[in-house]
Structures are given as C-alpha cells and as structure tokens.
Amino acid sequence: MSDASSRADREIHLPVAAQDGVDAIAEMTNRAEDRGYERAWLPETWGRDAASTLGVVAERTERIELGTSIANVYSRSPALLGQTAATLQEVSDGRFRLGIGPSGPAVIEGWHGADFDRPLRRTRETVDIVRKVVEGEPVEYDGDVFTLSGFRLRFEPPDPAPPIDVAGLGPKSVELAGRFADGWHATTFTADGLRERLEDLRRGAELGDRDPEDVRVTLSLPACALEDGDEARQLAAQHLAFYVGGMGTYYRDSLARQGHEELATDIASAWASGERDRAVELVAENVLDDMAAAGTPEQARERLSEFESIEGLDAVALAFPRGADREAIDETIDALAPDA
C-alpha cells in the first residue's frame, strides 16, 4: 500500500470482450508499453484464455509488466495455477504477476459447471499451494479443501517467484488478501468505498503480522476518454450497468455496501426485466463520476487523477468498457497515458 506522498502507477486492463485475434491484444499491449504504462492485466472471462494469450504477449513486449486479473480458483487446480505462473514468469523474463480470485456463482456454476463452495477458504488454500509451487518446494498439503502430495516442479523455479494477488469485493475477502497475499485487486468501487475496504486490508495485514505497505493495491477503474465525451460516458455507464445488473449479485452487493443499496437494486431490477437503457440511465445519473473516469480527455484525466491520489492505492488499471471498439480503446490509451 502506498503512502500519501506517492502517486499510484498507471496500468491497463486489456479488454474483457473478445478481440479480433491475439495479435490485436498484443498490439494494444505494445501501445501501452510505448505510452509508458506500468503493467497490462488480462482478464479471463469469455474471451481467450489468459495463459496462452499472455505467453504470446510476453514474447512481443520488452518492458511492460504482465498479469492475470483474474484467473479463478475453480477452473484450474492450484498446482496447475502454480505451473502456469512459473511458466509465464519464465517466458516474460520476470515480468509476471498472478492475480486470482473466486469469481462468483454465475461464472463458476454457470460457465464451468463447478460448485461454488467455500470460496474464501479455497482462495486461501490456493495462495498457499501456488506459493509452494512457484518457489520450487515439494507440495505436501493437508487443508480443508485440498489434500495434495508428491508434486514438485521439475524445472528450475523462477527467480524471483511471481507475486500472488487476490481479488475481492467484500470485507472478509479483502481482509484475506491483506493477511495472506502479495496484493489486492479492487473493482467497481467509489473512492469512499475503496477507502473503507482499505481498512479491512490493513486489519488483515495486522492479523497476519505483516506490514500493510508490503501488500500492493490495484484498482480496476472503468475508463473511456474520447473527443466525443458523451459517447465515452455512455460506454462507461453501459459497462457498469452490465456488471451491477447482469453479473450475479456480487457487484450489486458491493455497490449496496458503498451506500447505494436502493440504486443497486433498481439497476439490477431494470436489467433483469429487459430495461437495459433504464439501467444505464440510472448509472449515468447517479454514480458514473464516482466509479469511472469517462468523458472528454480532460474530464477523464481529472477523475483519474482523483483516484490516483487515494492514500494506500498503488496502481490504477484502466478498464475499457465492454462496448468500446478498437478505435475507442486506442484513443483512451493515448489520452490517459502516463506521459500524455
């Protein structure tokens, strides 16, 4: 966690929606590298898998740090997550950071056909096991979820071992990140909501007898900066409405915890009843400026700067709206670049 005197790094989240090809994802990362961004994170949702894609991107970049945000802890075993992290750390020459998390029932049960059982405990044990794997230790583990024996990397473990970050929205999941992980990934937060969860992170670090400064905090912030500021704001509002209304209860509950319970319920209800435009209007009218950096380049830079100044935040990763096309993504990368 950064102190008040430092300013957060500026990073990007590569687009959630599937692009034309892996080449396009690599080109966006090259653009971000050229513009001075610190890191590129790749989500793993309904697009290309993170491991294969990041392997290509690692080969085509030189300096920019790379990471997953997030790989869920149900669709791969902890040992395989460790192998994947160790391999990506190797092919990227030490530029990789593993971001993991439980995701939610809509993804785990609906997409992967797995039981969404004991998500916090599963995440906690996954961190333990992955850390053993990437450090080259024999994996002898007797937990509540996993009992493993006999596994060990049969190649030289990467040095340094890749850090392991955990994503979370609620108090207990954030406390877990502070207690056991190398970093926390936050998403769909207002500035005040983020500050409240940072207290949970500090408490977790203290419970783990750790220095909170050693836990890296990354905020995924919806961002769109276009000369047509109204279009940029509409794209960002659509993005937030989809997550609050269409991705199960986790983002809705997170917004409710941040003092917007009635609004969260109204957005979800409008989305579920097919009134998508109404859900977008509710976001645009009430919380867009509190949860995104969107509008003209000047407007977006002003909002981004306010988030980057939050004490305890180490990095802001720009998340491009789901509906943004390649031109809008490139324009936003350029407009919000660290050296712009």
Side-chain angles (χ1 to χ4, degrees), residues 109-175:
E109 296 178 354
W111 298 4
H112 296 289
D115 292 333
F116 190 70
D117 182 48
R118 292 184 288 181
L120 293 183
R121 186 65 199 177
R122 189 182 186 99
T123 302
R124 160 80 171 88
E125 293 188 12
T126 297
V127 171
D128 284 344
I129 296 166
V130 170
R131 188 164 281 142
K132 288 178 177 291
V133 172
V134 298
E135 292 177 355
E137 297 180 15
V139 180
E140 303 293 333
Y141 193 84
D142 185 14
D144 295 333
V145 177
F146 298 105
T147 300
L148 307 176
S149 180
F151 182 83
R152 185 175 184 175
L153 284 181
R154 290 296 183 261
F155 63 90
E156 191 69 23
D159 186 16
I164 305 166
D165 294 353
V166 168
L169 298 175
K172 289 299 183 182
S173 60
V174 177
E175 182 182 296

Short mmCIF file of all heavy atoms in Angstrom, two decimals, residues 109-175:
data_model
loop_
_atom_site.label_atom_id
_atom_site.label_comp_id
_atom_site.label_asym_id
_atom_site.label_seq_id
_atom_site.Cartn_x
_atom_site.Cartn_y
_atom_site.Cartn_z
N GLU A 109 -20.49 -21.71 -11.55
CA GLU A 109 -21.52 -22.73 -11.74
C GLU A 109 -22.08 -22.69 -13.15
O GLU A 109 -22.27 -23.74 -13.78
CB GLU A 109 -22.63 -22.52 -10.71
CG GLU A 109 -22.16 -22.71 -9.28
CD GLU A 109 -23.23 -22.47 -8.24
OE1 GLU A 109 -24.35 -22.04 -8.62
OE2 GLU A 109 -22.95 -22.70 -7.05
N GLY A 110 -22.33 -21.48 -13.66
CA GLY A 110 -22.94 -21.37 -14.98
C GLY A 110 -22.00 -21.69 -16.12
O GLY A 110 -22.40 -22.36 -17.09
N TRP A 111 -20.77 -21.23 -16.04
CA TRP A 111 -19.83 -21.40 -17.16
C TRP A 111 -18.98 -22.66 -17.02
O TRP A 111 -18.67 -23.32 -18.01
CB TRP A 111 -18.89 -20.21 -17.25
CG TRP A 111 -19.54 -18.90 -17.51
CD1 TRP A 111 -20.87 -18.62 -17.60
CD2 TRP A 111 -18.87 -17.65 -17.72
NE1 TRP A 111 -21.08 -17.29 -17.83
CE2 TRP A 111 -19.86 -16.67 -17.91
CE3 TRP A 111 -17.54 -17.27 -17.75
CZ2 TRP A 111 -19.57 -15.34 -18.14
CZ3 TRP A 111 -17.23 -15.94 -17.99
CH2 TRP A 111 -18.23 -14.98 -18.18
N HIS A 112 -18.56 -22.95 -15.78
CA HIS A 112 -17.60 -24.03 -15.58
C HIS A 112 -18.20 -25.30 -14.97
O HIS A 112 -17.51 -26.31 -14.86
CB HIS A 112 -16.43 -23.54 -14.71
CG HIS A 112 -15.64 -22.45 -15.36
ND1 HIS A 112 -14.82 -22.67 -16.44
CD2 HIS A 112 -15.56 -21.12 -15.08
CE1 HIS A 112 -14.25 -21.52 -16.80
NE2 HIS A 112 -14.70 -20.56 -16.00
N GLY A 113 -19.45 -25.23 -14.54
CA GLY A 113 -20.11 -26.41 -14.03
C GLY A 113 -19.55 -26.93 -12.72
O GLY A 113 -19.67 -28.11 -12.41
N ALA A 114 -18.94 -26.05 -11.95
CA ALA A 114 -18.37 -26.44 -10.65
C ALA A 114 -19.21 -25.86 -9.53
O ALA A 114 -19.91 -24.86 -9.70
CB ALA A 114 -16.93 -25.94 -10.54
N ASP A 115 -19.15 -26.49 -8.37
CA ASP A 115 -19.86 -25.97 -7.20
C ASP A 115 -19.11 -24.78 -6.63
O ASP A 115 -17.90 -24.86 -6.38
CB ASP A 115 -19.97 -27.05 -6.13
CG ASP A 115 -20.89 -28.20 -6.54
OD1 ASP A 115 -21.79 -27.96 -7.36
OD2 ASP A 115 -20.67 -29.32 -6.05
N PHE A 116 -19.83 -23.70 -6.40
CA PHE A 116 -19.21 -22.51 -5.81
C PHE A 116 -19.20 -22.69 -4.29
O PHE A 116 -20.00 -22.12 -3.56
CB PHE A 116 -19.99 -21.26 -6.22
CG PHE A 116 -19.29 -19.98 -5.86
CD1 PHE A 116 -18.14 -19.60 -6.52
CD2 PHE A 116 -19.80 -19.14 -4.88
CE1 PHE A 116 -17.49 -18.41 -6.20
CE2 PHE A 116 -19.16 -17.95 -4.54
CZ PHE A 116 -18.00 -17.59 -5.21
N ASP A 117 -18.26 -23.50 -3.84
CA ASP A 117 -18.24 -23.94 -2.46
C ASP A 117 -17.04 -23.33 -1.73
O ASP A 117 -15.92 -23.35 -2.24
CB ASP A 117 -18.15 -25.47 -2.42
CG ASP A 117 -18.16 -26.03 -1.01
OD1 ASP A 117 -19.02 -25.61 -0.22
OD2 ASP A 117 -17.29 -26.87 -0.70
N ARG A 118 -17.28 -22.78 -0.54
CA ARG A 118 -16.23 -22.24 0.33
C ARG A 118 -15.22 -21.37 -0.44
O ARG A 118 -14.03 -21.64 -0.46
CB ARG A 118 -15.52 -23.37 1.06
CG ARG A 118 -16.38 -24.09 2.07
CD ARG A 118 -15.61 -25.13 2.84
NE ARG A 118 -15.31 -26.28 2.00
CZ ARG A 118 -14.64 -27.37 2.43
NH1 ARG A 118 -14.21 -27.42 3.67
NH2 ARG A 118 -14.43 -28.37 1.62
N PRO A 119 -15.70 -20.31 -1.08
CA PRO A 119 -14.81 -19.51 -1.93
C PRO A 119 -13.62 -18.89 -1.20
O PRO A 119 -12.50 -18.86 -1.76
CB PRO A 119 -15.73 -18.43 -2.51
CG PRO A 119 -16.91 -18.39 -1.58
CD PRO A 119 -17.08 -19.78 -1.08
N LEU A 120 -13.82 -18.40 0.01
CA LEU A 120 -12.71 -17.77 0.72
C LEU A 120 -11.67 -18.81 1.14
O LEU A 120 -10.46 -18.58 1.00
CB LEU A 120 -13.21 -16.99 1.93
CG LEU A 120 -14.06 -15.75 1.64
CD1 LEU A 120 -14.42 -15.04 2.94
CD2 LEU A 120 -13.32 -14.79 0.71
N ARG A 121 -12.14 -19.94 1.65
CA ARG A 121 -11.19 -20.96 2.07
C ARG A 121 -10.44 -21.52 0.87
O ARG A 121 -9.23 -21.78 0.94
CB ARG A 121 -11.93 -22.09 2.80
CG ARG A 121 -10.99 -23.14 3.40
CD ARG A 121 -10.13 -22.52 4.49
NE ARG A 121 -8.94 -23.34 4.76
CZ ARG A 121 -8.00 -23.00 5.63
NH1 ARG A 121 -8.12 -21.87 6.31
NH2 ARG A 121 -6.97 -23.78 5.83
N ARG A 122 -11.15 -21.71 -0.22
CA ARG A 122 -10.50 -22.23 -1.43
C ARG A 122 -9.43 -21.26 -1.92
O ARG A 122 -8.34 -21.66 -2.32
CB ARG A 122 -11.54 -22.49 -2.51
CG ARG A 122 -10.98 -23.23 -3.72
CD ARG A 122 -12.03 -23.41 -4.79
NE ARG A 122 -11.54 -24.25 -5.87
CZ ARG A 122 -11.80 -25.55 -6.00
NH1 ARG A 122 -12.54 -26.17 -5.11
NH2 ARG A 122 -11.31 -26.23 -7.03
N THR A 123 -9.75 -19.97 -1.89
CA THR A 123 -8.77 -18.97 -2.32
C THR A 123 -7.56 -18.96 -1.40
O THR A 123 -6.41 -18.91 -1.86
CB THR A 123 -9.43 -17.58 -2.34
OG1 THR A 123 -10.56 -17.60 -3.22
CG2 THR A 123 -8.44 -16.52 -2.82
N ARG A 124 -7.81 -19.01 -0.11
CA ARG A 124 -6.73 -19.02 0.88
C ARG A 124 -5.79 -20.19 0.65
O ARG A 124 -4.56 -20.04 0.63
CB ARG A 124 -7.35 -19.08 2.28
CG ARG A 124 -6.44 -19.57 3.39
CD ARG A 124 -5.52 -18.47 3.88
NE ARG A 124 -4.82 -18.89 5.07
CZ ARG A 124 -3.66 -19.54 5.10
NH1 ARG A 124 -3.07 -19.86 3.97
NH2 ARG A 124 -3.09 -19.85 6.25
N GLU A 125 -6.34 -21.40 0.47
CA GLU A 125 -5.51 -22.58 0.27
C GLU A 125 -4.80 -22.54 -1.07
O GLU A 125 -3.66 -23.01 -1.22
CB GLU A 125 -6.35 -23.85 0.42
CG GLU A 125 -6.86 -24.04 1.85
CD GLU A 125 -7.54 -25.39 2.07
OE1 GLU A 125 -7.43 -26.27 1.19
OE2 GLU A 125 -8.16 -25.56 3.14
N THR A 126 -5.45 -21.96 -2.08
CA THR A 126 -4.81 -21.84 -3.39
C THR A 126 -3.57 -20.96 -3.30
O THR A 126 -2.53 -21.27 -3.90
CB THR A 126 -5.80 -21.27 -4.42
OG1 THR A 126 -6.89 -22.19 -4.58
CG2 THR A 126 -5.14 -21.06 -5.77
N VAL A 127 -3.65 -19.86 -2.57
CA VAL A 127 -2.48 -19.00 -2.38
C VAL A 127 -1.33 -19.80 -1.77
O VAL A 127 -0.18 -19.74 -2.23
CB VAL A 127 -2.82 -17.78 -1.50
CG1 VAL A 127 -1.55 -17.02 -1.14
CG2 VAL A 127 -3.80 -16.86 -2.21
N ASP A 128 -1.63 -20.57 -0.73
CA ASP A 128 -0.60 -21.38 -0.07
C ASP A 128 0.07 -22.33 -1.05
O ASP A 128 1.30 -22.45 -1.10
CB ASP A 128 -1.23 -22.22 1.05
CG ASP A 128 -1.56 -21.41 2.29
OD1 ASP A 128 -1.05 -20.29 2.42
OD2 ASP A 128 -2.33 -21.92 3.13
N ILE A 129 -0.75 -23.06 -1.80
CA ILE A 129 -0.22 -24.09 -2.69
C ILE A 129 0.55 -23.49 -3.86
O ILE A 129 1.64 -23.96 -4.20
CB ILE A 129 -1.37 -25.00 -3.18
CG1 ILE A 129 -2.00 -25.74 -1.99
CG2 ILE A 129 -0.87 -25.98 -4.24
CD1 ILE A 129 -3.33 -26.38 -2.31
N VAL A 130 -0.02 -22.45 -4.48
CA VAL A 130 0.68 -21.81 -5.59
C VAL A 130 2.04 -21.29 -5.14
O VAL A 130 3.05 -21.41 -5.85
CB VAL A 130 -0.18 -20.68 -6.19
CG1 VAL A 130 0.64 -19.85 -7.18
CG2 VAL A 130 -1.41 -21.25 -6.88
N ARG A 131 2.08 -20.72 -3.95
CA ARG A 131 3.36 -20.19 -3.46
C ARG A 131 4.40 -21.30 -3.32
O ARG A 131 5.57 -21.12 -3.67
CB ARG A 131 3.12 -19.46 -2.13
CG ARG A 131 4.32 -18.71 -1.63
CD ARG A 131 3.92 -17.72 -0.55
NE ARG A 131 3.34 -16.50 -1.11
CZ ARG A 131 2.33 -15.83 -0.56
NH1 ARG A 131 1.76 -16.26 0.54
NH2 ARG A 131 1.90 -14.73 -1.13
N LYS A 132 3.98 -22.44 -2.83
CA LYS A 132 4.89 -23.58 -2.72
C LYS A 132 5.39 -24.01 -4.10
O LYS A 132 6.57 -24.30 -4.31
CB LYS A 132 4.20 -24.76 -2.03
CG LYS A 132 3.99 -24.58 -0.53
CD LYS A 132 3.26 -25.79 0.05
CE LYS A 132 3.08 -25.68 1.56
NZ LYS A 132 4.38 -25.79 2.27
N VAL A 133 4.47 -24.05 -5.06
CA VAL A 133 4.83 -24.50 -6.41
C VAL A 133 5.84 -23.55 -7.05
O VAL A 133 6.89 -23.98 -7.55
CB VAL A 133 3.58 -24.63 -7.30
CG1 VAL A 133 3.97 -24.91 -8.74
CG2 VAL A 133 2.67 -25.74 -6.78
N VAL A 134 5.54 -22.25 -7.05
CA VAL A 134 6.41 -21.31 -7.77
C VAL A 134 7.76 -21.14 -7.09
O VAL A 134 8.73 -20.70 -7.72
CB VAL A 134 5.74 -19.93 -7.96
CG1 VAL A 134 4.47 -20.07 -8.79
CG2 VAL A 134 5.44 -19.26 -6.62
N GLU A 135 7.84 -21.50 -5.82
CA GLU A 135 9.13 -21.43 -5.12
C GLU A 135 9.90 -22.74 -5.21
O GLU A 135 10.99 -22.88 -4.66
CB GLU A 135 8.91 -21.04 -3.66
CG GLU A 135 8.42 -19.60 -3.52
CD GLU A 135 8.12 -19.21 -2.08
OE1 GLU A 135 8.20 -20.10 -1.20
OE2 GLU A 135 7.81 -18.02 -1.84
N GLY A 136 9.32 -23.72 -5.94
CA GLY A 136 10.01 -24.97 -6.17
C GLY A 136 9.99 -25.93 -5.01
O GLY A 136 10.76 -26.89 -4.97
N GLU A 137 9.11 -25.73 -4.05
CA GLU A 137 9.05 -26.60 -2.87
C GLU A 137 8.23 -27.86 -3.17
O GLU A 137 7.33 -27.85 -4.02
CB GLU A 137 8.39 -25.87 -1.70
CG GLU A 137 9.14 -24.64 -1.21
CD GLU A 137 8.41 -23.97 -0.05
OE1 GLU A 137 7.51 -24.62 0.52
OE2 GLU A 137 8.74 -22.82 0.26
N PRO A 138 8.51 -28.94 -2.47
CA PRO A 138 7.61 -30.10 -2.54
C PRO A 138 6.23 -29.70 -2.00
O PRO A 138 6.14 -29.01 -0.99
CB PRO A 138 8.27 -31.14 -1.63
CG PRO A 138 9.68 -30.68 -1.47
CD PRO A 138 9.66 -29.18 -1.57
N VAL A 139 5.19 -30.13 -2.66
CA VAL A 139 3.84 -29.76 -2.23
C VAL A 139 3.25 -30.91 -1.41
O VAL A 139 2.77 -31.91 -1.95
CB VAL A 139 2.95 -29.42 -3.42
CG1 VAL A 139 1.54 -29.04 -2.94
CG2 VAL A 139 3.55 -28.28 -4.24
N GLU A 140 3.33 -30.75 -0.13
CA GLU A 140 2.66 -31.65 0.82
C GLU A 140 1.68 -30.77 1.58
O GLU A 140 2.08 -29.91 2.37
CB GLU A 140 3.67 -32.30 1.78
CG GLU A 140 4.77 -33.07 1.10
CD GLU A 140 4.25 -34.32 0.39
OE1 GLU A 140 3.20 -34.86 0.83
OE2 GLU A 140 4.88 -34.75 -0.59
N TYR A 141 0.39 -30.97 1.33
CA TYR A 141 -0.58 -30.00 1.84
C TYR A 141 -1.82 -30.74 2.34
O TYR A 141 -2.41 -31.56 1.63
CB TYR A 141 -0.98 -29.01 0.74
CG TYR A 141 -1.72 -27.80 1.25
CD1 TYR A 141 -1.04 -26.70 1.75
CD2 TYR A 141 -3.11 -27.76 1.23
CE1 TYR A 141 -1.71 -25.60 2.24
CE2 TYR A 141 -3.80 -26.66 1.71
CZ TYR A 141 -3.09 -25.58 2.22
OH TYR A 141 -3.76 -24.49 2.70
N ASP A 142 -2.24 -30.41 3.54
CA ASP A 142 -3.42 -31.01 4.14
C ASP A 142 -4.34 -29.90 4.61
O ASP A 142 -4.21 -29.38 5.72
CB ASP A 142 -3.03 -31.91 5.30
CG ASP A 142 -4.21 -32.68 5.89
OD1 ASP A 142 -5.27 -32.70 5.22
OD2 ASP A 142 -4.08 -33.21 6.99
N GLY A 143 -5.26 -29.48 3.73
CA GLY A 143 -6.16 -28.39 4.06
C GLY A 143 -7.59 -28.85 4.17
O GLY A 143 -7.90 -30.06 4.15
N ASP A 144 -8.49 -27.90 4.29
CA ASP A 144 -9.92 -28.21 4.37
C ASP A 144 -10.50 -28.52 2.99
O ASP A 144 -11.45 -29.30 2.87
CB ASP A 144 -10.69 -27.05 4.99
CG ASP A 144 -10.31 -26.81 6.44
OD1 ASP A 144 -9.90 -27.78 7.11
OD2 ASP A 144 -10.44 -25.66 6.91
N VAL A 145 -9.96 -27.89 1.96
CA VAL A 145 -10.44 -28.07 0.60
C VAL A 145 -9.51 -29.01 -0.19
O VAL A 145 -9.97 -29.90 -0.90
CB VAL A 145 -10.56 -26.73 -0.13
CG1 VAL A 145 -11.01 -26.93 -1.59
CG2 VAL A 145 -11.54 -25.81 0.60
N PHE A 146 -8.21 -28.82 -0.04
CA PHE A 146 -7.23 -29.58 -0.83
C PHE A 146 -6.34 -30.43 0.07
O PHE A 146 -5.85 -29.95 1.10
CB PHE A 146 -6.34 -28.64 -1.64
CG PHE A 146 -7.09 -27.81 -2.65
CD1 PHE A 146 -7.33 -26.46 -2.42
CD2 PHE A 146 -7.55 -28.38 -3.83
CE1 PHE A 146 -8.02 -25.69 -3.34
CE2 PHE A 146 -8.24 -27.62 -4.76
CZ PHE A 146 -8.48 -26.28 -4.52
N THR A 147 -6.13 -31.67 -0.35
CA THR A 147 -5.11 -32.53 0.24
C THR A 147 -4.23 -33.02 -0.90
O THR A 147 -4.70 -33.76 -1.78
CB THR A 147 -5.74 -33.72 0.98
OG1 THR A 147 -6.60 -33.22 2.01
CG2 THR A 147 -4.67 -34.60 1.59
N LEU A 148 -2.96 -32.58 -0.90
CA LEU A 148 -2.07 -32.86 -2.02
C LEU A 148 -0.77 -33.47 -1.53
O LEU A 148 -0.30 -33.16 -0.43
CB LEU A 148 -1.75 -31.56 -2.78
CG LEU A 148 -2.93 -30.70 -3.24
CD1 LEU A 148 -2.43 -29.42 -3.89
CD2 LEU A 148 -3.80 -31.47 -4.22
N SER A 149 -0.18 -34.29 -2.38
CA SER A 149 1.09 -34.90 -2.01
C SER A 149 1.86 -35.30 -3.27
O SER A 149 1.25 -35.76 -4.24
CB SER A 149 0.85 -36.13 -1.14
OG SER A 149 2.07 -36.74 -0.77
N GLY A 150 3.18 -35.07 -3.24
CA GLY A 150 4.04 -35.63 -4.28
C GLY A 150 4.38 -34.72 -5.43
O GLY A 150 5.17 -35.10 -6.30
N PHE A 151 3.79 -33.50 -5.47
CA PHE A 151 4.07 -32.64 -6.62
C PHE A 151 5.25 -31.71 -6.34
O PHE A 151 5.41 -31.19 -5.24
CB PHE A 151 2.85 -31.78 -6.96
CG PHE A 151 3.06 -30.89 -8.16
CD1 PHE A 151 2.90 -31.39 -9.44
CD2 PHE A 151 3.47 -29.57 -8.01
CE1 PHE A 151 3.12 -30.58 -10.55
CE2 PHE A 151 3.70 -28.76 -9.11
CZ PHE A 151 3.52 -29.27 -10.37
N ARG A 152 6.06 -31.51 -7.38
CA ARG A 152 7.14 -30.52 -7.33
C ARG A 152 7.53 -30.17 -8.75
O ARG A 152 7.53 -31.04 -9.63
CB ARG A 152 8.35 -31.07 -6.57
CG ARG A 152 9.46 -30.05 -6.38
CD ARG A 152 10.57 -30.62 -5.53
NE ARG A 152 11.59 -29.60 -5.26
CZ ARG A 152 12.63 -29.81 -4.45
NH1 ARG A 152 12.78 -30.98 -3.84
NH2 ARG A 152 13.51 -28.85 -4.25
N LEU A 153 7.85 -28.91 -8.98
CA LEU A 153 8.31 -28.52 -10.31
C LEU A 153 9.54 -29.32 -10.70
O LEU A 153 10.45 -29.50 -9.89
CB LEU A 153 8.66 -27.02 -10.34
CG LEU A 153 7.54 -26.00 -10.38
CD1 LEU A 153 8.12 -24.59 -10.44
CD2 LEU A 153 6.60 -26.22 -11.56
N ARG A 154 9.57 -29.75 -11.97
CA ARG A 154 10.74 -30.45 -12.47
C ARG A 154 11.55 -29.56 -13.42
O ARG A 154 12.15 -30.02 -14.37
CB ARG A 154 10.32 -31.75 -13.17
CG ARG A 154 9.81 -32.81 -12.20
CD ARG A 154 10.90 -33.26 -11.22
NE ARG A 154 10.43 -34.32 -10.33
CZ ARG A 154 10.02 -34.12 -9.09
NH1 ARG A 154 9.99 -32.88 -8.59
NH2 ARG A 154 9.62 -35.12 -8.33
N PHE A 155 11.51 -28.28 -13.14
CA PHE A 155 12.43 -27.34 -13.79
C PHE A 155 12.80 -26.29 -12.75
O PHE A 155 12.18 -26.18 -11.70
CB PHE A 155 11.84 -26.71 -15.05
CG PHE A 155 10.61 -25.87 -14.85
CD1 PHE A 155 10.71 -24.50 -14.60
CD2 PHE A 155 9.33 -26.42 -14.94
CE1 PHE A 155 9.58 -23.71 -14.43
CE2 PHE A 155 8.20 -25.64 -14.78
CZ PHE A 155 8.33 -24.28 -14.52
N GLU A 156 13.84 -25.54 -13.05
CA GLU A 156 14.33 -24.55 -12.10
C GLU A 156 13.25 -23.51 -11.83
O GLU A 156 12.74 -22.87 -12.77
CB GLU A 156 15.58 -23.86 -12.64
CG GLU A 156 16.32 -23.02 -11.63
CD GLU A 156 16.99 -23.84 -10.54
OE1 GLU A 156 17.26 -25.04 -10.78
OE2 GLU A 156 17.21 -23.29 -9.46
N PRO A 157 12.82 -23.32 -10.59
CA PRO A 157 11.76 -22.35 -10.32
C PRO A 157 12.22 -20.94 -10.66
O PRO A 157 13.41 -20.63 -10.57
CB PRO A 157 11.51 -22.49 -8.82
CG PRO A 157 12.75 -23.10 -8.28
CD PRO A 157 13.30 -23.97 -9.36
N PRO A 158 11.30 -20.09 -11.08
CA PRO A 158 11.68 -18.74 -11.47
C PRO A 158 12.20 -17.94 -10.28
O PRO A 158 11.74 -18.10 -9.16
CB PRO A 158 10.38 -18.14 -12.01
CG PRO A 158 9.29 -18.93 -11.34
CD PRO A 158 9.84 -20.31 -11.17
N ASP A 159 13.16 -17.09 -10.57
CA ASP A 159 13.74 -16.23 -9.53
C ASP A 159 13.77 -14.80 -10.06
O ASP A 159 14.51 -14.51 -10.99
CB ASP A 159 15.16 -16.70 -9.19
CG ASP A 159 15.76 -15.94 -8.02
OD1 ASP A 159 14.99 -15.28 -7.30
OD2 ASP A 159 16.99 -15.99 -7.86
N PRO A 160 12.94 -13.91 -9.49
CA PRO A 160 12.10 -14.15 -8.31
C PRO A 160 10.82 -14.90 -8.65
O PRO A 160 10.38 -14.92 -9.80
CB PRO A 160 11.78 -12.73 -7.84
CG PRO A 160 11.75 -11.94 -9.12
CD PRO A 160 12.85 -12.52 -9.97
N ALA A 161 10.23 -15.50 -7.62
CA ALA A 161 8.92 -16.12 -7.80
C ALA A 161 7.89 -15.04 -8.08
O ALA A 161 7.97 -13.93 -7.54
CB ALA A 161 8.53 -16.88 -6.53
N PRO A 162 6.92 -15.31 -8.95
CA PRO A 162 5.90 -14.30 -9.25
C PRO A 162 5.05 -13.99 -8.03
O PRO A 162 4.64 -14.92 -7.31
CB PRO A 162 5.07 -14.93 -10.37
CG PRO A 162 5.28 -16.40 -10.19
CD PRO A 162 6.68 -16.56 -9.69
N PRO A 163 4.75 -12.72 -7.77
CA PRO A 163 3.84 -12.38 -6.67
C PRO A 163 2.43 -12.91 -6.94
O PRO A 163 2.04 -13.12 -8.09
CB PRO A 163 3.87 -10.84 -6.66
CG PRO A 163 5.07 -10.46 -7.44
CD PRO A 163 5.27 -11.53 -8.46
N ILE A 164 1.68 -13.09 -5.88
CA ILE A 164 0.32 -13.62 -5.97
C ILE A 164 -0.64 -12.60 -5.38
O ILE A 164 -0.58 -12.29 -4.18
CB ILE A 164 0.18 -14.95 -5.22
CG1 ILE A 164 1.22 -15.96 -5.71
CG2 ILE A 164 -1.23 -15.52 -5.40
CD1 ILE A 164 1.36 -17.17 -4.80
N ASP A 165 -1.52 -12.07 -6.21
CA ASP A 165 -2.53 -11.11 -5.76
C ASP A 165 -3.89 -11.81 -5.69
O ASP A 165 -4.14 -12.79 -6.39
CB ASP A 165 -2.64 -9.94 -6.74
CG ASP A 165 -1.39 -9.08 -6.78
OD1 ASP A 165 -0.48 -9.31 -5.96
OD2 ASP A 165 -1.32 -8.18 -7.63
N VAL A 166 -4.76 -11.26 -4.85
CA VAL A 166 -6.11 -11.81 -4.68
C VAL A 166 -7.13 -10.71 -4.93
O VAL A 166 -6.97 -9.58 -4.44
CB VAL A 166 -6.29 -12.38 -3.26
CG1 VAL A 166 -7.75 -12.69 -2.97
CG2 VAL A 166 -5.46 -13.66 -3.10
N ALA A 167 -8.17 -11.03 -5.70
CA ALA A 167 -9.26 -10.10 -5.94
C ALA A 167 -10.35 -10.32 -4.90
O ALA A 167 -10.56 -11.44 -4.42
CB ALA A 167 -9.84 -10.31 -7.34
N GLY A 168 -11.04 -9.25 -4.54
CA GLY A 168 -12.13 -9.37 -3.58
C GLY A 168 -12.93 -8.09 -3.50
O GLY A 168 -12.39 -7.00 -3.74
N LEU A 169 -14.20 -8.24 -3.13
CA LEU A 169 -15.09 -7.09 -3.03
C LEU A 169 -15.55 -6.83 -1.59
O LEU A 169 -15.68 -5.69 -1.18
CB LEU A 169 -16.33 -7.30 -3.91
CG LEU A 169 -16.11 -7.45 -5.41
CD1 LEU A 169 -17.43 -7.78 -6.11
CD2 LEU A 169 -15.50 -6.20 -5.99
N GLY A 170 -15.79 -7.89 -0.84
CA GLY A 170 -16.34 -7.75 0.49
C GLY A 170 -15.29 -7.67 1.57
O GLY A 170 -14.11 -7.94 1.34
N PRO A 171 -15.69 -7.31 2.79
CA PRO A 171 -14.74 -7.13 3.89
C PRO A 171 -13.87 -8.35 4.16
O PRO A 171 -12.66 -8.23 4.35
CB PRO A 171 -15.64 -6.80 5.09
CG PRO A 171 -16.89 -6.25 4.49
CD PRO A 171 -17.07 -6.96 3.19
N LYS A 172 -14.47 -9.55 4.19
CA LYS A 172 -13.72 -10.75 4.53
C LYS A 172 -12.72 -11.13 3.44
O LYS A 172 -11.59 -11.57 3.73
CB LYS A 172 -14.66 -11.92 4.82
CG LYS A 172 -15.44 -11.77 6.11
CD LYS A 172 -14.51 -11.69 7.32
CE LYS A 172 -15.27 -11.60 8.63
NZ LYS A 172 -14.36 -11.48 9.80
N SER A 173 -13.11 -10.98 2.18
CA SER A 173 -12.20 -11.32 1.09
C SER A 173 -11.03 -10.34 1.02
O SER A 173 -9.89 -10.73 0.73
CB SER A 173 -12.94 -11.36 -0.25
OG SER A 173 -13.51 -10.11 -0.56
N VAL A 174 -11.29 -9.07 1.33
CA VAL A 174 -10.22 -8.09 1.32
C VAL A 174 -9.29 -8.32 2.52
O VAL A 174 -8.06 -8.20 2.41
CB VAL A 174 -10.79 -6.66 1.33
CG1 VAL A 174 -9.67 -5.63 1.40
CG2 VAL A 174 -11.63 -6.43 0.06
N GLU A 175 -9.87 -8.66 3.65
CA GLU A 175 -9.06 -9.00 4.82
C GLU A 175 -8.15 -10.19 4.51
O GLU A 175 -6.97 -10.21 4.89
CB GLU A 175 -9.96 -9.31 6.00
CG GLU A 175 -9.22 -9.63 7.29
CD GLU A 175 -10.18 -9.99 8.41
OE1 GLU A 175 -10.96 -9.11 8.81
OE2 GLU A 175 -10.14 -11.16 8.86
#
